[in-house]
Coordinates of all heavy atoms in Angstrom, one line a residue:
M774 N 28.3 211.8 82.7 CA 29.7 212.1 82.9 C 29.8 212.9 84.1 O 29.0 213.8 84.4 CB 30.2 212.9 81.6 CG 31.6 213.3 81.8 SD 32.3 214.4 80.6 CE 32.1 213.5 79.1
I775 N 30.9 212.6 84.9 CA 31.2 213.4 86.1 C 32.7 213.8 86.0 O 33.5 213.0 85.8 CB 31.0 212.6 87.4 CG1 29.5 212.2 87.6 CG2 31.5 213.4 88.6 CD1 29.3 211.3 88.7
T776 N 32.9 215.1 86.0 CA 34.2 215.7 86.0 C 34.4 216.6 87.2 O 33.5 217.1 87.8 CB 34.5 216.4 84.7 OG1 33.6 217.5 84.5 CG2 34.4 215.5 83.5
T777 N 35.7 217.0 87.4 CA 36.0 217.9 88.5 C 37.2 218.7 88.2 O 38.0 218.3 87.3 CB 36.1 217.2 89.9 OG1 36.2 218.2 90.9 CG2 37.3 216.3 89.9
H778 N 37.4 219.8 88.9 CA 38.8 220.4 88.9 C 38.9 221.1 90.3 O 38.0 221.3 91.0 CB 39.0 221.4 87.8 CG 38.3 222.7 87.8 ND1 37.0 222.9 87.4 CD2 38.6 223.9 88.3 CE1 36.6 224.1 87.5 NE2 37.6 224.8 88.1
V779 N 40.2 221.3 90.7 CA 40.5 221.9 92.0 C 41.3 223.2 91.7 O 42.3 223.1 91.0 CB 41.3 220.9 92.8 CG1 41.6 221.5 94.2 CG2 40.5 219.6 93.0
L780 N 40.9 224.2 92.4 CA 41.6 225.5 92.3 C 42.1 225.8 93.7 O 41.4 225.8 94.7 CB 40.7 226.6 91.8 CG 40.1 226.4 90.4 CD1 39.1 227.4 90.1 CD2 41.2 226.4 89.4
D781 N 43.4 226.2 93.8 CA 44.0 226.7 95.1 C 43.8 228.2 95.1 O 44.5 228.9 94.5 CB 45.5 226.3 95.1 CG 46.2 226.6 96.4 OD1 45.8 227.6 97.0 OD2 47.1 225.9 96.7
T782 N 42.8 228.6 95.9 CA 42.5 230.1 95.9 C 43.6 230.9 96.7 O 43.8 232.0 96.5 CB 41.1 230.3 96.5 OG1 41.1 229.8 97.9 CG2 40.1 229.7 95.7
A783 N 44.4 230.2 97.6 CA 45.4 230.9 98.3 C 46.6 231.2 97.3 O 47.2 232.3 97.4 CB 45.9 230.1 99.5
Q784 N 46.8 230.3 96.4 CA 47.9 230.5 95.4 C 47.5 231.2 94.2 O 48.3 231.6 93.4 CB 48.5 229.1 95.1 CG 49.1 228.4 96.2 CD 50.4 229.1 96.8 OE1 51.2 229.6 96.1 NE2 50.4 229.2 98.1
G785 N 46.1 231.2 93.9 CA 45.6 231.8 92.7 C 45.9 231.0 91.5 O 46.1 231.6 90.4
K786 N 45.9 229.6 91.6 CA 46.2 228.8 90.5 C 45.6 227.4 90.6 O 45.2 227.1 91.7 CB 47.7 228.7 90.2 CG 48.5 228.1 91.4 CD 50.0 228.1 91.1 CE 50.7 227.4 92.2 NZ 52.2 227.4 91.9
P787 N 45.6 226.6 89.5 CA 45.0 225.3 89.6 C 45.9 224.4 90.6 O 47.0 224.7 90.8 CB 45.2 224.8 88.2 CG 45.3 226.0 87.3 CD 46.0 227.0 88.2
A788 N 45.2 223.5 91.2 CA 45.9 222.6 92.1 C 46.2 221.2 91.4 O 45.3 220.4 91.3 CB 45.0 222.3 93.4
A789 N 47.4 221.1 91.0 CA 47.8 219.8 90.3 C 48.2 218.8 91.3 O 48.6 219.1 92.5 CB 49.0 220.1 89.4
G790 N 48.0 217.5 91.0 CA 48.4 216.4 91.8 C 47.4 216.1 93.0 O 47.8 215.3 93.8
V791 N 46.2 216.6 93.0 CA 45.3 216.3 94.1 C 44.6 214.9 93.7 O 44.0 214.8 92.7 CB 44.2 217.4 94.2 CG1 43.2 217.0 95.3 CG2 44.9 218.7 94.6
G792 N 44.7 214.0 94.6 CA 44.0 212.7 94.5 C 42.5 212.9 94.7 O 42.0 213.6 95.6
V793 N 41.7 212.3 93.8 CA 40.3 212.3 93.8 C 39.7 210.9 93.6 O 40.2 210.2 92.7 CB 39.7 213.3 92.7 CG1 38.2 213.4 92.9 CG2 40.4 214.6 92.8
T794 N 38.7 210.5 94.5 CA 38.1 209.3 94.3 C 36.6 209.5 94.2 O 36.0 210.3 94.9 CB 38.3 208.3 95.5 OG1 39.7 208.3 95.7 CG2 37.8 206.9 95.3
L795 N 35.9 208.8 93.2 CA 34.5 208.9 93.0 C 33.8 207.7 93.5 O 34.2 206.6 93.2 CB 34.2 209.1 91.5 CG 32.7 209.1 91.1 CD1 32.0 210.3 91.7 CD2 32.6 209.1 89.6
F796 N 32.7 207.9 94.3 CA 31.9 206.8 94.8 C 30.5 207.0 94.4 O 30.0 208.1 94.2 CB 32.0 206.8 96.3 CG 33.3 206.6 96.9 CD1 34.2 207.7 97.2 CD2 33.8 205.3 97.2 CE1 35.4 207.5 97.8 CE2 35.1 205.1 97.8 CZ 35.9 206.3 98.1
V797 N 29.7 205.9 94.4 CA 28.3 205.9 94.2 C 27.7 205.2 95.4 O 28.2 204.2 95.9 CB 27.8 205.2 92.9 CG1 28.2 203.8 92.8 CG2 26.3 205.4 92.6
K798 N 26.5 205.7 95.9 CA 25.9 205.0 97.0 C 24.9 204.0 96.5 O 24.0 204.3 95.7 CB 25.1 206.1 97.8 CG 24.7 205.6 99.2 CD 24.3 206.7 100.1 CE 24.3 206.3 101.5 NZ 23.9 207.4 102.4
E799 N 25.1 202.7 97.0 CA 24.3 201.6 96.6 C 23.9 200.8 97.8 O 24.8 200.4 98.5 CB 25.0 200.7 95.5 CG 25.3 201.4 94.2 CD 26.1 200.5 93.3 OE1 26.7 199.6 93.7 OE2 26.0 200.8 92.1
A800 N 22.6 200.6 98.0 CA 22.1 199.8 99.2 C 22.7 200.3 100.5 O 23.1 199.5 101.3 CB 22.4 198.3 98.9
G801 N 22.9 201.6 100.6 CA 23.3 202.2 101.9 C 24.8 202.2 102.1 O 25.3 202.6 103.1
A802 N 25.6 201.8 101.1 CA 27.1 201.7 101.2 C 27.7 202.4 100.0 O 27.1 202.5 98.9 CB 27.5 200.3 101.2
W803 N 28.9 202.9 100.2 CA 29.6 203.6 99.1 C 30.5 202.6 98.3 O 31.2 201.8 98.9 CB 30.6 204.6 99.6 CG 29.8 205.8 100.2 CD1 29.7 206.1 101.6 CD2 29.1 206.8 99.5 NE1 29.0 207.2 101.7 CE2 28.6 207.7 100.5 CE3 28.8 207.1 98.2 CZ2 27.8 208.8 100.2 CZ3 28.1 208.2 97.9 CH2 27.6 209.0 98.9
R804 N 30.3 202.6 96.9 CA 31.1 201.8 96.1 C 32.0 202.7 95.2 O 31.5 203.6 94.6 CB 30.2 200.9 95.2 CG 31.0 200.0 94.2 CD 30.1 199.0 93.4 NE 29.2 199.7 92.5 CZ 29.5 200.1 91.3 NH1 30.7 199.8 90.8 NH2 28.6 200.7 90.5
E805 N 33.3 202.4 95.1 CA 34.2 203.2 94.3 C 34.0 202.9 92.8 O 33.8 201.8 92.4 CB 35.6 202.8 94.7 CG 36.6 203.7 93.9 CD 38.1 203.4 94.3 OE1 38.4 203.2 95.5 OE2 38.9 203.4 93.4
L806 N 33.9 204.1 92.1 CA 33.7 204.0 90.6 C 35.0 204.4 89.9 O 35.2 203.9 88.8 CB 32.6 205.0 90.2 CG 31.2 204.6 90.5 CD1 30.3 205.7 90.0 CD2 30.8 203.3 90.0
G807 N 35.8 205.2 90.5 CA 37.0 205.6 89.8 C 37.9 206.5 90.7 O 37.4 207.0 91.7
R808 N 39.1 206.7 90.3 CA 40.1 207.5 91.0 C 41.1 208.0 90.1 O 41.4 207.5 89.0 CB 40.7 206.8 92.2 CG 41.6 205.7 91.8 CD 42.3 205.0 93.1 NE 41.4 204.7 94.1 CZ 41.7 204.9 95.4 NH1 42.8 205.5 95.8 NH2 40.8 204.6 96.3
G809 N 41.8 209.1 90.5 CA 42.8 209.7 89.7 C 43.4 210.9 90.4 O 43.1 211.2 91.5
Q810 N 44.3 211.6 89.7 CA 44.9 212.9 90.2 C 44.6 214.0 89.2 O 44.6 213.8 88.0 CB 46.4 212.7 90.4 CG 46.7 211.8 91.6 CD 48.2 211.9 91.9 OE1 49.0 212.2 91.1 NE2 48.5 211.7 93.2
T811 N 44.5 215.2 89.8 CA 44.3 216.4 88.9 C 45.6 216.6 88.1 O 46.7 216.4 88.5 CB 43.9 217.6 89.7 OG1 45.0 217.9 90.7 CG2 42.6 217.4 90.4
D812 N 45.4 217.1 86.8 CA 46.5 217.4 85.9 C 47.1 218.8 86.2 O 46.7 219.4 87.2 CB 46.0 217.2 84.5 CG 44.9 218.2 84.1 OD1 44.7 219.2 84.8 OD2 44.3 218.0 83.0
A813 N 47.9 219.3 85.4 CA 48.6 220.6 85.6 C 47.6 221.7 85.6 O 47.9 222.8 86.2 CB 49.7 220.8 84.5
D814 N 46.5 221.5 85.0 CA 45.4 222.5 84.9 C 44.4 222.3 86.1 O 43.4 223.0 86.1 CB 44.7 222.5 83.6 CG 43.8 223.7 83.3 OD1 44.2 224.8 83.8 OD2 42.8 223.5 82.7
G815 N 44.7 221.4 87.0 CA 43.8 221.1 88.2 C 42.6 220.3 87.8 O 41.7 220.2 88.6
R816 N 42.6 219.7 86.6 CA 41.3 219.1 86.1 C 41.5 217.5 86.2 O 42.6 217.0 86.0 CB 41.0 219.5 84.7 CG 40.6 220.9 84.7 CD 40.2 221.4 83.3 NE 39.9 222.8 83.3 CZ 38.7 223.3 83.6 NH1 37.7 222.5 84.0 NH2 38.5 224.6 83.6
L817 N 40.4 216.9 86.3 CA 40.3 215.4 86.3 C 39.1 215.0 85.5 O 38.0 215.3 85.9 CB 40.3 214.8 87.7 CG 40.3 213.3 87.7 CD1 41.5 212.7 87.0 CD2 40.4 212.8 89.2
R818 N 39.3 214.5 84.3 CA 38.2 214.2 83.3 C 37.9 212.8 83.2 O 37.0 212.4 82.5 CB 38.6 214.8 82.0 CG 38.8 216.3 81.9 CD 39.4 216.7 80.6 NE 39.5 218.1 80.5 CZ 40.6 218.8 80.8 NH1 41.7 218.2 81.2 NH2 40.7 220.1 80.7
T819 N 38.6 211.9 83.9 CA 38.5 210.5 83.7 C 37.8 209.7 84.8 O 37.9 208.5 84.8 CB 39.9 209.9 83.5 OG1 40.7 210.1 84.7 CG2 40.6 210.4 82.3
L820 N 37.1 210.3 85.8 CA 36.5 209.6 86.9 C 35.3 208.8 86.4 O 35.3 207.6 86.7 CB 36.0 210.6 87.9 CG 37.1 211.1 88.8 CD1 36.6 212.3 89.7 CD2 37.7 210.0 89.7
A821 N 34.4 209.4 85.7 CA 33.3 208.7 85.1 C 33.0 209.3 83.7 O 32.2 210.2 83.6 CB 32.0 208.8 86.0
P822 N 33.8 208.9 82.7 CA 33.8 209.5 81.4 C 32.5 209.3 80.6 O 32.1 210.0 79.8 CB 35.0 208.9 80.7 CG 35.3 207.7 81.4 CD 34.8 207.8 82.8
G823 N 31.8 208.2 81.0 CA 30.5 207.9 80.2 C 29.3 208.3 81.0 O 29.4 208.9 82.0
P824 N 28.2 207.9 80.5 CA 26.9 208.2 81.2 C 26.8 207.5 82.6 O 27.4 206.5 82.8 CB 25.8 207.5 80.3 CG 26.5 207.3 79.0 CD 28.0 207.1 79.3
V825 N 26.2 208.3 83.5 CA 26.0 207.8 84.9 C 24.5 207.7 85.2 O 23.7 208.4 84.7 CB 26.8 208.7 85.9 CG1 28.3 208.5 85.7 CG2 26.3 210.1 85.8
A826 N 24.2 206.7 86.0 CA 22.8 206.5 86.5 C 22.4 207.6 87.5 O 23.3 208.1 88.2 CB 22.7 205.1 87.1
A827 N 21.2 207.8 87.6 CA 20.7 208.7 88.7 C 21.1 208.1 90.0 O 21.1 206.9 90.1 CB 19.2 208.9 88.5
G828 N 21.4 209.0 91.0 CA 21.7 208.5 92.3 C 22.5 209.5 93.1 O 22.6 210.6 92.7
T829 N 23.1 209.0 94.2 CA 23.9 209.8 95.1 C 25.3 209.4 94.9 O 25.7 208.3 94.9 CB 23.4 209.6 96.5 OG1 22.0 210.0 96.6 CG2 24.2 210.5 97.5
Y830 N 26.1 210.4 94.7 CA 27.6 210.2 94.4 C 28.4 211.0 95.5 O 27.9 212.0 96.1 CB 27.9 210.7 93.0 CG 27.3 209.8 92.0 CD1 26.0 209.9 91.6 CD2 28.1 208.8 91.4 CE1 25.4 209.1 90.6 CE2 27.5 208.0 90.4 CZ 26.2 208.1 90.1 OH 25.7 207.3 89.1
R831 N 29.7 210.6 95.6 CA 30.6 211.3 96.5 C 31.9 211.5 95.8 O 32.5 210.5 95.3 CB 30.7 210.6 97.8 CG 31.7 211.2 98.7 CD 31.8 210.6 100.1 NE 32.2 209.2 100.0 CZ 32.9 208.6 101.0 NH1 33.1 209.1 102.1 NH2 33.2 207.3 100.8
L832 N 32.5 212.7 95.9 CA 33.8 212.9 95.5 C 34.6 213.1 96.7 O 34.3 213.9 97.6 CB 33.9 214.2 94.6 CG 33.5 214.1 93.2 CD1 33.4 215.4 92.5 CD2 34.4 213.1 92.4
L833 N 35.7 212.4 96.9 CA 36.6 212.5 98.0 C 37.9 213.0 97.5 O 38.6 212.4 96.7 CB 36.8 211.1 98.7 CG 37.7 211.2 100.0 CD1 37.0 212.0 101.0 CD2 37.9 209.7 100.5
F834 N 38.3 214.2 98.0 CA 39.5 214.9 97.6 C 40.6 214.8 98.6 O 40.3 215.1 99.8 CB 39.2 216.4 97.3 CG 38.2 216.7 96.3 CD1 36.9 216.8 96.5 CD2 38.7 217.0 95.0 CE1 36.0 217.1 95.5 CE2 37.8 217.3 94.0 CZ 36.4 217.3 94.3
D835 N 41.8 214.4 98.3 CA 42.9 214.3 99.2 C 43.6 215.6 99.2 O 44.4 215.9 98.3 CB 43.9 213.2 98.8 CG 45.1 213.0 99.7 OD1 45.2 213.8 100.7 OD2 45.9 212.2 99.4
T836 N 43.2 216.5 100.1 CA 43.7 217.9 100.1 C 44.8 218.1 101.2 O 45.1 219.3 101.5 CB 42.5 218.8 100.4 OG1 41.8 218.4 101.5 CG2 41.6 218.8 99.2
A837 N 45.4 217.1 101.8 CA 46.3 217.3 102.9 C 47.5 218.1 102.5 O 48.0 218.9 103.3 CB 46.8 215.9 103.3
A838 N 48.0 218.1 101.2 CA 49.1 218.9 100.8 C 48.7 220.3 100.6 O 49.6 221.2 100.6 CB 49.6 218.3 99.5
R839 N 47.4 220.6 100.5 CA 47.0 222.0 100.4 C 46.5 222.7 101.6 O 46.5 223.9 101.8 CB 45.8 222.1 99.3 CG 46.1 221.5 98.0 CD 46.9 222.5 97.2 NE 47.4 221.8 96.0 CZ 48.2 222.4 95.1 NH1 48.5 223.7 95.3 NH2 48.6 221.8 94.1
S840 N 46.0 221.8 102.6 CA 45.4 222.3 103.8 C 45.5 221.3 104.9 O 44.9 220.3 104.9 CB 43.9 222.6 103.6 OG 43.3 222.9 104.8
A841 N 46.4 221.6 105.9 CA 46.5 220.8 107.1 C 45.2 220.7 107.9 O 44.9 219.7 108.5 CB 47.7 221.2 107.9
F842 N 44.4 221.8 107.8 CA 43.2 221.9 108.5 C 42.1 221.0 107.9 O 41.3 220.4 108.6 CB 42.7 223.3 108.6 CG 41.6 223.6 109.6 CD1 41.8 223.4 110.9 CD2 40.3 223.9 109.1 CE1 40.7 223.6 111.8 CE2 39.3 224.1 110.0 CZ 39.5 224.0 111.4
F843 N 42.1 220.9 106.6 CA 41.2 220.1 105.8 C 42.0 219.0 105.1 O 42.2 219.2 103.9 CB 40.3 220.9 104.9 CG 39.4 221.9 105.5 CD1 39.6 223.2 105.4 CD2 38.3 221.4 106.2 CE1 38.7 224.1 106.0 CE2 37.4 222.3 106.8 CZ 37.6 223.7 106.7
P844 N 42.4 217.9 105.7 CA 43.2 217.0 105.0 C 42.5 216.2 103.9 O 43.1 215.6 103.0 CB 43.7 216.0 106.1 CG 42.8 216.2 107.2 CD 42.2 217.6 107.1
E845 N 41.2 216.2 104.0 CA 40.3 215.7 102.9 C 39.0 216.4 102.9 O 38.6 216.9 103.9 CB 40.1 214.2 103.0 CG 39.3 213.7 104.2 CD 39.2 212.2 104.3 OE1 40.0 211.4 103.8 OE2 38.2 211.8 104.9
V846 N 38.4 216.4 101.7 CA 37.1 217.1 101.5 C 36.2 216.1 100.8 O 36.6 215.5 99.8 CB 37.3 218.4 100.7 CG1 35.9 218.9 100.3 CG2 38.1 219.4 101.4
S847 N 35.0 215.9 101.4 CA 34.0 215.0 100.8 C 32.9 215.8 100.3 O 32.3 216.6 101.1 CB 33.6 214.0 101.9 OG 32.6 213.1 101.4
V848 N 32.5 215.6 99.1 CA 31.4 216.4 98.5 C 30.4 215.3 98.0 O 30.7 214.5 97.1 CB 31.8 217.2 97.3 CG1 30.6 217.9 96.7 CG2 32.9 218.2 97.7
V849 N 29.2 215.4 98.6 CA 28.1 214.4 98.3 C 27.1 215.2 97.5 O 26.6 216.3 97.9 CB 27.5 213.8 99.6 CG1 26.4 212.9 99.2 CG2 28.6 213.1 100.3
F850 N 26.6 214.6 96.4 CA 25.6 215.2 95.5 C 24.7 214.2 94.8 O 25.1 213.0 94.7 CB 26.3 216.1 94.5 CG 27.4 215.4 93.7 CD1 27.1 214.9 92.4 CD2 28.6 215.2 94.2 CE1 28.0 214.3 91.6 CE2 29.6 214.5 93.4 CZ 29.3 214.1 92.1
A851 N 23.5 214.6 94.5 CA 22.6 213.8 93.8 C 22.4 214.2 92.3 O 22.4 215.4 92.1 CB 21.2 213.8 94.5
I852 N 22.3 213.2 91.4 CA 22.2 213.6 90.0 C 21.1 212.8 89.3 O 20.6 211.8 89.9 CB 23.6 213.3 89.3 CG1 23.8 211.8 89.3 CG2 24.7 214.0 89.9 CD1 25.0 211.4 88.4
E853 N 20.7 213.4 88.2 CA 19.7 212.7 87.3 C 20.5 211.9 86.2 O 21.6 212.3 85.8 CB 18.8 213.8 86.7 CG 18.1 214.6 87.7 CD 17.3 215.7 87.1 OE1 17.2 215.8 85.8 OE2 16.8 216.6 87.8
A854 N 19.9 210.9 85.7 CA 20.5 210.0 84.7 C 20.7 210.8 83.4 O 19.9 211.7 83.0 CB 19.6 208.8 84.5
G855 N 21.8 210.5 82.8 CA 22.1 211.0 81.5 C 22.7 212.4 81.4 O 23.2 212.7 80.3
A856 N 22.7 213.1 82.4 CA 23.3 214.5 82.4 C 24.8 214.5 82.7 O 25.3 213.5 83.2 CB 22.5 215.4 83.3
S857 N 25.4 215.5 82.3 CA 26.9 215.7 82.6 C 27.0 216.6 83.8 O 26.2 217.6 84.0 CB 27.6 216.3 81.5 OG 27.7 215.5 80.4
Y858 N 27.9 216.3 84.7 CA 28.0 217.0 86.0 C 29.5 217.4 86.2 O 30.4 216.5 86.1 CB 27.5 216.2 87.2 CG 26.0 216.1 87.2 CD1 25.4 215.2 86.4 CD2 25.3 217.0 87.9 CE1 24.0 215.1 86.4 CE2 23.9 216.9 87.9 CZ 23.3 216.0 87.1 OH 21.9 215.9 87.1
H859 N 29.8 218.7 86.4 CA 31.1 219.1 86.7 C 31.0 219.7 88.1 O 30.2 220.6 88.4 CB 31.5 220.2 85.7 CG 32.9 220.7 85.9 ND1 34.0 219.8 85.7 CD2 33.4 221.9 86.3 CE1 35.1 220.5 85.9 NE2 34.8 221.8 86.3
V860 N 31.9 219.2 89.0 CA 31.8 219.6 90.4 C 33.2 220.1 90.8 O 34.1 219.3 91.2 CB 31.4 218.4 91.3 CG1 31.2 218.9 92.8 CG2 30.1 217.8 90.8
P861 N 33.4 221.4 90.7 CA 34.7 222.0 91.1 C 34.9 222.1 92.6 O 33.9 222.2 93.4 CB 34.7 223.4 90.5 CG 33.6 223.4 89.5 CD 32.6 222.4 90.1
L862 N 36.1 222.2 93.0 CA 36.5 222.4 94.5 C 37.5 223.6 94.5 O 38.5 223.6 93.8 CB 37.1 221.2 95.1 CG 37.6 221.4 96.5 CD1 36.4 221.5 97.5 CD2 38.4 220.2 97.0
L863 N 37.2 224.6 95.3 CA 38.1 225.7 95.5 C 38.6 225.5 97.0 O 37.8 225.4 97.9 CB 37.3 227.0 95.4 CG 37.0 227.5 94.0 CD1 35.9 226.6 93.4 CD2 36.6 228.9 93.9
I864 N 39.9 225.5 97.1 CA 40.5 225.1 98.4 C 41.5 226.2 98.8 O 42.2 226.8 98.0 CB 41.1 223.7 98.4 CG1 41.6 223.3 99.8 CG2 42.2 223.7 97.4 CD1 40.6 222.8 100.7
S865 N 41.5 226.5 100.1 CA 42.5 227.4 100.7 C 42.9 226.7 102.1 O 42.3 225.7 102.5 CB 42.0 228.8 100.9 OG 41.0 228.8 101.9
P866 N 43.9 227.2 102.7 CA 44.4 226.6 104.0 C 43.3 226.4 105.0 O 43.3 225.4 105.7 CB 45.5 227.5 104.5 CG 46.1 228.1 103.2 CD 44.9 228.3 102.4
F867 N 42.3 227.3 105.1 CA 41.3 227.2 106.1 C 39.9 227.3 105.6 O 38.9 227.7 106.4 CB 41.5 228.3 107.2 CG 42.8 228.1 107.9 CD1 43.9 228.9 107.6 CD2 43.0 227.1 108.9 CE1 45.2 228.7 108.2 CE2 44.2 226.9 109.5 CZ 45.3 227.7 109.2
G868 N 39.7 227.0 104.4 CA 38.3 227.0 103.8 C 38.2 226.3 102.5 O 39.2 226.1 101.8
Y869 N 37.0 226.0 102.1 CA 36.8 225.4 100.8 C 35.3 225.7 100.4 O 34.5 225.9 101.2 CB 37.1 223.9 100.7 CG 36.2 223.0 101.5 CD1 35.0 222.5 101.0 CD2 36.6 222.6 102.8 CE1 34.2 221.7 101.7 CE2 35.8 221.8 103.5 CZ 34.6 221.3 103.0 OH 33.8 220.5 103.7
S870 N 35.1 225.6 99.1 CA 33.7 225.8 98.6 C 33.6 224.9 97.3 O 34.6 224.6 96.7 CB 33.3 227.2 98.3 OG 34.1 227.7 97.3
T871 N 32.4 224.6 96.9 CA 32.1 223.8 95.8 C 30.8 224.2 95.2 O 30.0 225.0 95.8 CB 32.1 222.3 96.1 OG1 32.0 221.5 94.9 CG2 31.0 221.9 97.1
Y872 N 30.5 223.9 93.9 CA 29.3 224.2 93.3 C 29.1 223.3 92.1 O 30.1 222.6 91.7 CB 29.3 225.7 92.8 CG 30.5 226.0 91.9 CD1 30.4 226.0 90.5 CD2 31.8 226.4 92.4 CE1 31.4 226.4 89.7 CE2 32.8 226.7 91.6 CZ 32.6 226.7 90.2 OH 33.7 227.0 89.4
R873 N 28.0 223.4 91.5 CA 27.8 222.6 90.2 C 28.2 223.5 89.1 O 27.6 224.6 88.8 CB 26.3 222.2 90.0 CG 26.2 221.5 88.7 CD 24.8 221.0 88.4 NE 24.9 220.3 87.0 CZ 23.8 219.9 86.4 NH1 22.7 220.1 86.9 NH2 24.0 219.4 85.2
G874 N 29.3 223.1 88.4 CA 29.8 223.9 87.3 C 29.2 223.5 86.0 O 28.2 222.7 85.9
S875 N 29.7 224.0 84.9 CA 29.2 223.7 83.6 C 30.2 223.0 82.7 O 31.4 223.0 83.0 CB 28.7 225.0 82.9 OG 29.8 225.9 82.8

């Protein structure tokens, strides 16, 4: 399972309505697995709700409404099969950070 949430650190609250697309890398190319928008709590639980295979994945966040300097944020990460992964994004007008959450 892969989930995410977005927090707007400049506003001090969850970032609702952020578009997110999940990709998996296969044979050197990115294939889309799912997409959606964050809810009122800044969370998106429906990108890959079931088990995922080991591999390299990318979350692409449409952050243009939150940061003109960073209109999109791409987070690439590698995972092991069968585990659950939560990858949050903290965004502000001129910076962002991410980590493996729980």
Side-chain angles (χ1 to χ4, degrees):
M774 176 189 300
I775 297 174
T776 59
T777 189
H778 76 271
V779 182
L780 299 172
D781 184 328
T782 59
Q784 300 293 316
K786 60 183 182 179
V791 175
V793 184
T794 308
L795 174 66
F796 300 89
V797 63
K798 195 167 195 176
E799 295 177 338
W803 293 107
R804 180 175 66 85
E805 184 177 319
L806 288 180
R808 67 174 51 225
Q810 288 192 331
T811 57
D812 62 17
D814 194 33
R816 296 184 180 275
L817 183 53
R818 299 172 176 94
T819 59
L820 284 170
V825 291
T829 302
Y830 291 80
R831 177 173 63 150
L832 285 170
L833 182 62
F834 297 87
D835 179 1
T836 54
R839 303 281 170 182
S840 170
F842 191 69
F843 295 110
E845 65 180 28
V846 173
S847 179
V848 178
V849 178
F850 54 99
I852 65 171
E853 298 174 7
S857 292
Y858 289 83
H859 184 67
V860 184
L862 177 70
L863 288 69
I864 186 82
S865 69
F867 296 102
Y869 67 86
S870 64
T871 187
Y872 58 95
R873 180 177 177 191
S875 57

